[in-house]
C-alpha cells in the first residue's frame, strides 16, 4: 500500500475535488508556511495500492487543486506502508 499526501492551500470544496477520484481519504486542516508567509493549509491523505493508475490519479488531482487555487505547485509525497484494516 502507498500513503499519498498532498499539501496545499485551503480550498473551498476540497472534498468534492478529492471525491472525484477516490472513495476514501482524510483531509486535515493545518497552518502552513511558504516563503515566510503563513497560510491556511490542507493535508490530504489517500491510501491506495500504489499502482501506476493510482499515481496518475494522484497527480491529476494535484493538477486540479493547483489550477483551482492558482498555485505555483502542490507538494505530493508517497510513502510505502503496511496497512491492515482491523
Amino acid at each position: 500500500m502507498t500513503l499519498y499526501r498532498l499539501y496545499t492551500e485551503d480550498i473551498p470544496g476540497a472534498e468534492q475535488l478529492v471525491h472525484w477520484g477516490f472513495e476514501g481519504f482524510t483531509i486535515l486542516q493545518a497552518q502552513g508556511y511558504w516563503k515566510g508567509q503563513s497560510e491556511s493549509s490542507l493535508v490530504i491523505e489517500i491510501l491506495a495500492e500504489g499502482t501506476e493508475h493510482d499515481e496518475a490519479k494522484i497527480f491529476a488531482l494535484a493538477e486540479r487543486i493547483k489550477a483551482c487555487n492558482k498555485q505555483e505547485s502542490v507538494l505530493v509525497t508517497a510513502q510505502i506502508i503496511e496497512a491492515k484494516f482491523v
Side-chain angles (χ1 to χ4, degrees), residues 37-85:
Q37 297 294 317
S38 174
E39 60 188 20
S40 295
S41 302
L42 297 177
V43 179
I44 302 166
E45 296 186 331
I46 301 169
L47 186 61
E49 293 293 326
T51 64
E52 287 181 19
H53 179 69
D54 290 336
E55 191 169 297
K57 286 177 25 180
I58 292 290
F59 283 104
L61 173 59
E63 288 291 340
R64 290 180 70 181
I65 291 170
K66 186 171 88 170
C68 286
N69 269 356
K70 299 180 179 138
Q71 290 177 258
E72 290 178 30
S73 62
V74 171
L75 175 63
V76 178
T77 65
Q79 180 180 9
I80 298 172
I81 64 168
E82 182 176 327
K84 297 179 182 177
F85 291 98

